[in-house]
């Protein structure tokens, strides 16, 4: 998608170097960063220079490519894969991508290993682009339907950044929006600011602006009132891990938005590629919920009057804070899941039917 009128992806491979857009610097600075070692990849995921479930999966896949370039050794590769999986706990795409790579690479001792690793990382990348494109084409039908009935602008609320910056291209929650916009359907997006890291304001609003999609940033607590006033036609959010039971784990605050949507009869959609489905865990309390540094809450970063990036403390110095990064929205609050395969009810039966997984208990 576009930044300054130029088409980009979030990650690419060039002359044995992985290139990423440093998302900790957006929207104020556009910096392309080089990842040269597996350690660089782990750091980029931990510090959220790259973030979003599908993108951290692909970064981990390329991290293993870098590990092989550094040292073609099976025990180093295993260590690298363990460290990559541990770099962020909640999004399942990370483990999914590493496991998929390791299936191809474990036990391969020939010089062919680099070629195999690169091919698999590229396949995962292209697959994600196609998944996201198809999520968009499937979700477009929902937006078209509302636009046809309403005969006016469709107002969509989204939380965090499940945009193209969280994937490779198109995004998940934003893909139906971009497809609708490109088709000439009038859409307007309510963008939850998404404290504490402000992925909504800093990333979603930024990328929608670059694509010319009308949007308004709101505080995380404003959605309920807007829904109550009839100013939201639907919510579309992304997810970091969706259980086969239909329970959805996503950025903290998603659950409260789903509750407000239910109370106001606003449809609540979750957009996801199949790589985000956890087929193993059934009990949502078993999902590891990332707890991040409290400094992300107590400090805020922005441009000062001289256009310099500054970080300032906004809390009382003696106060403690707790920074839980994700929550779980129970399946009963989810209207439908929008996937690359189609749209389905958030229930085990429907999800398994859609993905032909009837043999998984
Ligand atoms: O902590 P983040 O910024 O990695 O969280 C991202 C989200 O919660 C997204 O909604 C999710 O990863 C879906 S990405 C298409």
């Amino acid at each position: 998608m576009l930044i300054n009128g130029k088409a980009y992806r979030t990650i690419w491979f060039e002359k044995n170097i992985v290139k990423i857009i440093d998302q900790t610097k957006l929207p104020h600075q556009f910096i392309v960063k080089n990842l040269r070692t597996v350690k660089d990849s782990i750091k980029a995921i931990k510090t959220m220079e790259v973030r979003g479930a599908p993108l951290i999966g692909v970064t981990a896949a390329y991290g293993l490519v870098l590990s092989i370039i550094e040292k073609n050794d099976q025990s180093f590769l295993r260590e690298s894969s363990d460290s990559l999986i541990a770099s962020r706990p909640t999004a399942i795409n990370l483990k999914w991508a590493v496991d998929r790579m390791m299936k191809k690479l474990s036990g391969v001792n020939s010089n062919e290993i680099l070629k195999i690793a690169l091919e698999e990382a590229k396949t995962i990348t292209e697959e994600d682009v196609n998944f996201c494109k198809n999520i968009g084409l499937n979700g477009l039908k929902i937006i078209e339907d509302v636009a046809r009935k309403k005969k006016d602008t469709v107002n969509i609320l989204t939380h965090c950044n499940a945009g193209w910056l969280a994937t490779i291209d198109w995004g998940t929650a934003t893909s139906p929006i971009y497809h609708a916009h490109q088709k000439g359907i009038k859409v307007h997006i309510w963008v939850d600011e998404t404290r504490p890291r402000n992925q909504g304001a800093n990333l979603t609003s930024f990328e929608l602006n670059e694509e010319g999609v009308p949007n308004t940033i709101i505080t995380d607590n404003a959605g309920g009132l807007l829904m109550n006033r009839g100013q939201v036609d639907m919510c579309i959010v992304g997810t970091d891990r969706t259980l086969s039971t239909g329970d959805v784990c996503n950025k903290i605050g998603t659950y409260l938005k789903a509750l407000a949507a239910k109370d106001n009869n606003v449809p609540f959609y979750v957009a996801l590629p199949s790589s985000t489905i956890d087929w193993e865990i059934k009990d949502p309390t078993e999902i590891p919920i990332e707890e991040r540094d409290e400094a992300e809450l107590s400090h805020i970063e922005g441009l000062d009057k001289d256009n310099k990036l500054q970080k300032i403390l906004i809390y009382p110095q003696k106060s403690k804070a707790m920074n839980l990064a994700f929550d779980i929205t129970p399946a009963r609050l989810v209207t439908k899941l929008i996937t690359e395969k189609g749209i389905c009810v958030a229930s085990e039966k429907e999800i398994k039917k859609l993905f032909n997984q009837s043999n998984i208990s």
Side-chain angles (χ1 to χ4, degrees), residues 48 50-54 56 88 91 159-163 166-167 171-173 197 199 203 237-240 250-252 271 273 290 292 325-326:
M48 294 175 67
V50 287
R51 26 70 52 205
I56 59 179
R88 282 195 80 189
H159 190 68
C160 194
N161 174 261
T167 64
T172 57
R197 292 185 67 101
Q199 291 97 324
L203 304 175
V237 300
T239 166
D240 289 80
N250 192 45
K251 182 53 58 191
I252 195 85
E290 180 176 20
R292 296 186 61 88
F326 296 94

Side-chain angles (χ1 to χ4, degrees), residues 235-274:
C235 302
I236 314 181
V237 300
T239 166
D240 289 80
R241 189 188 293 231
T242 287
L243 303 190
S244 59
T245 56
D247 295 322
V248 169
C249 181
N250 192 45
K251 182 53 58 191
I252 195 85
T254 303
Y255 172 44
L256 290 177
K257 236 25 72 80
L259 281 171
K262 186 79 170 179
D263 196 46
N264 289 284
N265 286 321
V266 172
F268 189 88
Y269 296 102
V270 179
L272 71 152
S274 49

